[in-house]
Amino acid sequence: MATAVTAAVSLPSSKSSSLSSRTSIIFSDRINFTKSNVYSSGVSVAGKAVSIRAQVTTEAPAKVEKISKKNEEGVIVNKYKPKNPYTGRCLLNTKITGDDAPGETWHMVFSTEGEIPYREGQSIGVIADGEDKNGKPHKLRLYSIASSALGDFGDSKTVSLCVKRLVYTNDQGEVVKGVCSNFLCDLKPGAEVKLTGPVGKEMLMPKDPNATIIMLATGTGIAPFRSFLWKMFFEKHEDYQFNGLAWLFLGVPTSSSLLYKEEFEKMKEKSPDNFRVDFAVSREQTNEKGEKMYIQTRMAQYAEELWQLLKKDNTFVYMCGLKGMEKGIDDIMGSLAARDGIDWLEYKRQLKKAEQWNVEVY
Ligand SMILES: Cc1cc2nc3c(=O)[nH]c(=O)nc-3n(C[C@H](O)[C@H](O)[C@H](O)COP(=O)(O)OP(=O)(O)OC[C@H]3O[C@@H](n4cnc5c(N)ncnc54)[C@H](O)[C@@H]3O)c2cc1C
Ligand SMILES: NC(=O)c1ccc[n+]([C@@H]2O[C@H](COP(=O)([O-])OP(=O)(O)OC[C@H]3O[C@@H](n4cnc5c(N)ncnc54)[C@H](OP(=O)(O)O)[C@@H]3O)[C@@H](O)[C@H]2O)c1
């Protein structure tokens, strides 16, 4: 005989500088009665002989199991591996940056026939056609999925990516084109594409539909957030109705490289109380000190508000894009934390442990 008792304990956050008190983790304390010894003994009740089954139970030590605050249950990873990729087809490929933008970014949709069941926040691998300089097939490159699980056509049969074409000049002065990004940006509708995955759990959305979700993106780092935001504001789900605050910060070089701007404006129109968006256009805007407007420079303008939000148990921060942005964001958070006498790196460690600080930069 086994009995399970499940207790959910949520530790409240505090505005004090105590680090341990601000962490909120939900535990499931399962008390399993695993050993069950059953005895039978003959006794007499009202003159009749009856058999009584007496149960002796030995308690096993309580098992502490962490329940994720993110939408992790049933997430599939690595269904398709490099040796056995899924072959999809390009349905649409369109440049989404202006002609005068520094660099090109493309939005593309591939057919999956529902065979790559991904979730918002995951990535897929792409194996470019052709061979490397050693005559071997190209290695896979990872791309954050830019569509919600329903896909851009709403039928759960497609996956979309947002890809920057990598072109640079090497030390010898030669122009070098990145293998996979150029393969993808040049794909024509109808062409086949080898896909692997899905992979990744770091960027999965929080389960709480009332959460505050702060999204920090540079360039194509917008991909997972487009995926989140479609689910929140463009779709209807029986088991998920977003009613929290979604706040997006997006950093790009020029206004002609602002990605998915019209979509975000539509979301703002539809849900002004639940969505905020702030752009940082680095080569066109500056702050009052004349400094380049990076994403962290824009965030600094809302410093106090962001800091207060970060003290809430159901605020989740997600960061995606250029590796360099992480230090800049640490610097502003560090100065805010210091005003409250808090060591930011330790505070961030606690936030990470509570799944409230999620980073995928490259
Ligand atoms: C989890 C994850 C998600 C990602 N998501 C996306 C996404 O959504 N969109 C996206 O566009 N990218 C994304 N990337 C990056 C992507 O995986 C590829 O790295 C990118 O497209 C370049 O691949 P490539 O094959 O075109 O270039 P490659 O042929 O692999 O060439 C890249 C190499 O070129 C060299 N190089 C690059 N720039 C320079 C330079 N300026 N000077 C000298 N050498 C240089 C470096 O050695 C670099 O490793 C993601 C990466 C990860 C890890
Ligand atoms: N999941 C992931 O890991 C993931 C997903 C998607 C993309 N990525 C990666 O993210 C990167 C995005 O690049 P992109 O070419 O698409 O971007 P982009 O269009 O060049 O935009 C990047 C923006 O960030 C600014 N920036 C540069 N250094 C910065 C710093 N230290 N702090 C804050 N902002 C800074 C740039 O400003 P200036 O150019 O004016 O200096 C520019 O405004 C790529 O490296 C891509 O591989 C990773």
Side-chain angles (χ1 to χ4, degrees):
M1 191 193 206
T3 311
V5 179
T6 305
V9 184
S10 180
L11 307 176
S13 73
S14 147
K15 287 197 172 24
S16 81
S17 60
S18 157
L19 290 168
S20 55
S21 65
R22 74 136 330 276
T23 312
S24 163
I25 297 173
I26 297 179
F27 294 99
S28 164
D29 296 337
R30 281 185 203 287
I31 303 159
N32 290 319
F33 299 88
T34 50
K35 275 192 197 163
S36 176
N37 304 315
V38 180
Y39 299 91
S40 285
S41 63
V43 291
S44 166
V45 176
K48 286 187 184 161
V50 292
S51 174
I52 294 177
R53 289 160 61 84
Q55 187 181 321
V56 176
T57 310
T58 317
E59 261 188 39
K63 201 169 141 195
V64 178
E65 200 180 284
K66 192 178 157 193
I67 295 177
S68 177
K69 290 180 185 174
K70 292 195 266 188
N71 188 15
E72 250 189 22
E73 281 107 47
V75 164
I76 290 169
V77 288
N78 282 320
K79 180 173 174 194
Y80 291 95
K81 305 211 170 77
K83 282 197 177 141
N84 173 32
Y86 176 82
T87 302
R89 223 171 253 290
C90 175
L91 301 177
L92 180 156
N93 199 359
T94 181
K95 185 158 76 97
I96 53 171
T97 43
D99 290 341
D100 61 334
E104 282 179 15
T105 301
W106 291 66
H107 179 80
M108 55 202 70
V109 183
F110 303 139
S111 64
T112 65
E113 298 308 323
E115 291 295 327
I116 306 182
Y118 63 88
R119 212 163 271 180
E120 294 81 8
Q122 287 194 289
S123 299
I124 54 166
V126 177
I127 303 171
D129 284 354
E131 293 172 339
D132 66 16
K133 58 181 185 302
N134 302 316
K136 299 240 171 79
H138 287 300
K139 295 220 159 54
L140 73 82
R141 267 66 164 183
L142 289 174
Y143 292 90
S144 304
I145 295 172
S147 47
S148 71
L150 283 185
D152 286 358
F153 304 149
D155 59 3
S156 305
K157 288 185 176 174
T158 64
V159 63
S160 306
L161 301 181
C162 171
V163 180
K164 170 95 175 251
R165 186 191 288 280
L166 175 66
V167 184
Y168 65 93
T169 307
N170 68 11
D171 294 343
Q172 289 75 48
E174 300 156 336
V175 173
V176 182
K177 288 173 146 195
V179 172
C180 197
S181 59
N182 281 274
F183 165 75
L184 285 170
C185 294
D186 289 337
L187 269 184
K188 299 281 177 285
E192 288 188 343
V193 56
K194 291 196 266 314
L195 306 173
T196 64
V199 296
K201 290 188 175 177
E202 172 78 7
M203 301 293 280
L204 294 174
M205 293 174 74
K207 282 184 217 160
D208 183 357
N210 300 312
T212 293
I213 304 180
I214 299 172
M215 292 159 279
L216 312 175
T218 46
T220 50
I222 192 63
F225 307 136
R226 178 179 185 265
S227 164
F228 285 21
L229 292 163
W230 268 55
K231 179 169 182 180
M232 292 177 196
F233 299 117
F234 281 171
E235 296 172 359
K236 280 207 158 39
H237 293 266
E238 266 178 23
D239 58 351
Y240 184 82
Q241 169 66 61
F242 183 69
N243 198 26
L245 172 68
W247 192 352
L248 171 69
F249 289 88
L250 170 61
V252 292
T254 59
S255 36
S256 53
S257 32
L258 271 171
L259 307 170
Y260 307 111
K261 185 170 174 259
E262 291 76 20
E263 290 184 8
F264 301 140
E265 281 168 352
K266 214 166 271 169
M267 289 170 189
K268 184 118 196 61
E269 247 171 61
K270 262 184 94 194
S271 310
D273 298 337
N274 302 91
F275 183 48
R276 288 172 74 166
V277 56
D278 281 280
F279 300 123
V281 184
S282 59
R283 299 184 197 176
E284 294 173 9
Q285 301 171 330
T286 54
N287 66 4
E288 61 288 349
K289 289 191 217 146
E291 294 164 336
K292 205 167 177 174
M293 184 55 78
Y294 277 158
I295 182 169
Q296 59 270 27
T297 324
R298 181 66 75 209
M299 287 169 70
Q301 296 178 333
Y302 301 98
E304 195 49 46
E305 208 176 338
L306 286 168
W307 183 237
Q308 291 310 322
L309 286 173
L310 267 183
K311 292 179 180 179
K312 290 196 322 155
D313 271 352
N314 67 344
T315 294
F316 295 78
V317 178
Y318 292 83
M319 191 189 301
C320 190
L322 286 176
K323 193 155 183 49
M325 69 191 281
E326 195 173 8
K327 186 182 174 304
I329 288 167
D330 272 344
D331 289 347
I332 70 149
M333 298 319 295
S335 58
L336 286 170
R339 287 200 309 216
D340 278 1
I342 292 175
D343 170 5
W344 167 245
L345 293 180
E346 177 55 21
Y347 195 79
K348 187 172 77 165
R349 205 176 62 73
Q350 295 288 345
L351 286 174
K352 276 189 173 173
K353 208 168 144 193
E355 302 178 289
Q356 290 172 259
W357 190 266
N358 306 284
V359 179
E360 208 166 73
V361 290
Y362 190 60

